[in-house]
Amino acid sequence: MSPVNSPSNESPQSKAALPHVVILGAGPSGAGAAYQLVKKGRATVTVLEQRDTVGGNAGSFELDGVYCDFGSHRLHPVVEPEIMQDLRDLLGEKLLYQTRHGRIRLQGRWIHFPLKPMDLLFGLPKSFALRVLGDTARKVLPRDTSGPENFATVLERGLGRTICQEFYFPYARKLWGMDPSELAATAAKRRVSGSSVTKILRKVAKQIPGLKPESAGRFYYPRGGYGQISQCLFEAAQAGGADFKFGASFKEIDRDGNGIKAVRYELAGQEYTIPTQNVWSTIPMSFLVKGMRPEAPPEVVTAASHLSSRGMILIYLVLDQDQFSTFDAYYFPEESIPVSRLSEPKNFTSSTEPRGRTVLCAEVPSDPGRPEWDLSDDELGRRLCQWMERAGLPKPGRVARTVTRRLRFAYPIYTRDYEANFSTMDEWLGGVEGVLTFGRQGLFAHDNTHHTLAMSYAAVKCFSSEGKFDHALWAKYRKEFETHVVED
């Protein structure tokens, strides 16, 4: 998966009458928008991507014959039918329909994930189960809910103290590096799909034969790694005339009054300018604001500096064995183990190839400046083996080598003041004609891929081949986006 820069395969004259859209970023949202714009004949398209391939944090790469992702990714069956049909058409038999098979570590025990009915009956520690029952019984008692809401209050009200203290709160501190009480209520409402005991029981009930929907515990996954989703969108968009420029670093947007007139970027040490009246951005909203020329008002720039994201170190252990285990992913809520999730990429496709070789991918939430961020690959590999041993996992075979990747923007951090800062930027950007921000990074949304693709498709539906954008329709879509809840 190493696309190269190439010109549009259609002459400029053939599309001279169409508006030109410059898209910043070639992750699923950027590649999806480019594909839809050319497929619907709405615009000529140029995509600027700073990496040398598509996919962003949802991309893939090959490591010793194994397709690896930047963490653990799945395409959930709730994807919109129109998008699902396009992906089926583009990927064909490369799109697999798999069964989930993971485990969560809770009080020293491993429990199947997604949770099954037998886990509730026999898998949970008895003391834990009894305390959860007590929390559930106490929910009928009156409580004071007059204080301000935050992540901790919302979850504790819905799930009870035991589940929060033993699972969600430690996991939140690990994932975001903050105490749950310092996180906004939005983090609980959008990040935790099972935010009440009732919702959890509904999920468990869906695993019971006779009540179990066909899609329960299932997911879609491309044979060539998760990045193949963005890859197929890129190939289709490029075939339709979209021009992708890789290794292109966004510099700034030149504004002309209330509109825009050009985008500047750097490629191979040289700076280029693209005249355009339409910029669709999927990069972090704060970067977009800071790249405006003339500069955005001081209060908007200040708001941009207060929006932050959590980084991630990805540790890949290349093992000299066919398979580490039959599980696709392990989840570690406890803070004593720095890993949040451990996955085995081969198991996502049920592949037996290559023989004698598998890879484990560990996700360690962190940030630049933290001691572990600058550790060598080998040292991180040694520590991962120690953490696995501490968790009681099987000892891996010979480690052929360790490879790491670092993501600076893995998870948006919903601090209690984030909504005010986000709104300040969002409102100002909404007043700049021709600028659209969307996608996971563009809307500071901890969303799944099917959510970001829905944003791409919605954006194109709002844009006409005459260059007019239906802001009223987009506002309705934005309301829908606010209801998105992450599928785990």
Side-chain angles (χ1 to χ4, degrees):
M1 294 186 195
S2 298
V4 295
N5 296 308
S6 60
S8 168
N9 59 6
E10 296 189 27
S11 65
Q13 291 78 10
S14 65
K15 293 189 175 183
L18 293 176
H20 182 214
V21 175
V22 176
I23 299 176
L24 306 181
S29 51
Y35 164 65
Q36 280 293 293
L37 282 170
V38 298
K39 179 184 178 182
K40 303 292 187 183
R42 303 288 170 83
T44 59
V45 179
T46 301
V47 182
L48 304 180
E49 169 55 50
Q50 66 176 354
R51 295 184 182 179
D52 61 359
T53 188
V54 295
N57 288 357
S60 300
F61 62 97
E62 191 173 345
L63 182 58
D64 287 17
V66 178
Y67 289 111
C68 297
D69 303 330
F70 293 104
S72 174
H73 297 276
R74 295 175 178 83
L75 184 65
H76 298 278
V78 291
V79 62
E80 291 184 7
E82 179 188 4
I83 300 172
M84 192 70 248
Q85 188 58 57
D86 279 348
L87 294 178
R88 284 197 178 103
D89 291 343
L90 295 172
L91 287 168
E93 63 179 17
K94 297 174 185 175
L95 187 63
L96 307 175
Y97 194 41
Q98 300 289 85
T99 300
R100 299 191 67 170
H101 188 42
R103 295 204 293 177
I104 292 178
R105 181 176 163 85
L106 184 62
Q107 291 191 331
R109 295 192 185 188
W110 289 108
I111 301 171
H112 192 273
F113 187 79
L115 196 63
K116 295 184 176 182
M118 296 302 289
D119 293 325
L120 288 180
L121 293 175
F122 304 108
L124 296 174
K126 287 185 174 58
S127 60
F128 178 84
L130 288 173
R131 281 185 286 141
V132 171
L133 287 174
D135 291 341
T136 304
R138 282 188 287 272
K139 285 171 65 69
V140 300
L141 299 176
R143 288 175 295 175
D144 180 12
T145 58
S146 59
E149 284 192 334
N150 57 55
F151 180 92
T153 60
V154 170
L155 281 192
E156 195 158 328
R157 183 171 63 247
L159 294 169
R161 183 175 180 81
T162 302
I163 293 177
C164 289
Q165 294 293 340
E166 298 290 341
F167 180 79
Y168 279 110
F169 290 176
Y171 202 63
R173 283 190 287 267
K174 181 189 296 188
L175 209 61
W176 289 294
M178 297 181 65
D179 189 80
S181 63
E182 296 300 314
L183 295 168
T186 310
K189 296 172 181 176
R190 296 192 63 173
R191 177 63 182 89
V192 184
S193 57
S195 56
S196 71
V197 173
T198 302
K199 290 180 180 178
I200 291 177
L201 291 176
R202 284 175 184 164
K203 285 190 170 186
V204 174
K206 290 181 180 179
Q207 302 296 324
I208 299 174
L211 299 177
K212 183 177 182 179
E214 190 275 334
S215 61
R218 304 292 297 274
F219 66 99
Y220 291 100
Y221 191 86
R223 194 180 302 276
Y226 199 74
Q228 204 166 21
I229 292 175
S230 297
Q231 180 74 14
C232 77
L233 294 169
F234 152 70
E235 291 172 354
Q238 189 180 55
D243 182 13
F244 285 72
K245 298 185 182 299
F246 294 93
S249 298
F250 164 68
K251 290 300 180 184
E252 59 189 48
I253 293 175
D254 291 340
R255 293 194 292 129
D256 183 12
N258 238 11
I260 58 174
K261 60 182 180 180
V263 175
R264 300 186 187 277
Y265 69 96
E266 185 178 297
L267 178 62
Q270 295 189 40
E271 190 168 297
Y272 298 87
T273 300
I274 304 178
T276 184
Q277 294 180 317
N278 302 284
V279 176
W280 290 15
S281 174
T282 70
I283 66 175
M285 183 186 281
S286 55
F287 283 17
L288 179 64
V289 166
K290 293 175 183 178
M292 289 291 183
R293 299 293 181 272
E295 289 186 352
E299 65 274 16
V300 179
V301 176
T302 299
S305 67
H306 288 163
L307 222 58
S308 58
S309 296
R310 181 71 156 154
M312 180 81 73
I313 302 173
L314 300 169
I315 309 171
Y316 300 89
L317 286 185
V318 181
L319 306 179
D320 286 339
Q321 60 189 93
D322 288 333
Q323 186 181 45
F324 174 72
S325 78
T326 60
F327 297 98
D328 50 36
Y330 297 84
Y331 297 81
F332 305 87
E334 64 265 60
E335 293 176 90
S336 60
I337 299 174
V339 177
S340 59
R341 181 167 52 189
L342 180 76
S343 56
E344 187 167 3
K346 280 176 70 173
N347 292 348
F348 280 68
T349 58
S350 305
S351 176
T352 59
E353 300 294 334
R355 297 284 184 178
R357 181 58 49 89
T358 193
V359 176
L360 296 179
C361 172
E363 301 170 38
V364 181
S366 183
D367 290 299
R370 297 284 301 168
E372 64 273 10
W373 191 268
D374 296 318
L375 291 177
S376 68
D377 290 3
D378 289 341
E379 178 58 29
L380 285 168
R382 283 191 290 271
R383 294 195 182 193
L384 174 56
C385 290
Q386 293 170 1
W387 299 330
M388 291 170 59
E389 182 179 0
R390 189 186 308 166
L393 290 177
K395 185 176 181 180
R398 192 182 80 86
V399 178
R401 63 181 177 129
T402 302
V403 175
T404 66
R405 297 286 190 274
R406 288 161 177 79
L407 306 179
R408 180 61 190 87
F409 300 94
Y411 298 117
I413 301 178
Y414 293 142
T415 56
R416 287 188 296 180
D417 63 348
Y418 104 90
E419 287 173 304
N421 292 315
F422 175 85
S423 296
T424 297
M425 291 187 293
D426 190 37
E427 183 177 347
W428 183 79
L429 286 170
V432 181
E433 190 64 34
V435 171
L436 182 69
T437 181
F438 63 103
R440 180 179 173 123
Q441 305 287 356
L443 287 181
F444 202 67
H446 192 158
D447 279 353
N448 300 117
T449 298
H450 65 274
H451 293 139
T452 63
L453 287 174
M455 294 181 194
S456 302
Y457 278 57
V460 175
K461 289 174 182 176
C462 295
F463 192 72
S464 73
S465 56
E466 290 77 37
K468 303 296 184 181
F469 193 83
D470 190 336
H471 293 281
L473 179 58
W474 180 246
K476 292 181 180 179
Y477 280 123
R478 285 287 300 268
K479 288 293 183 182
E480 289 183 21
F481 302 160
E482 291 174 7
T483 66
H484 290 171
V485 178
V486 174
E487 297 280 344
D488 293 315

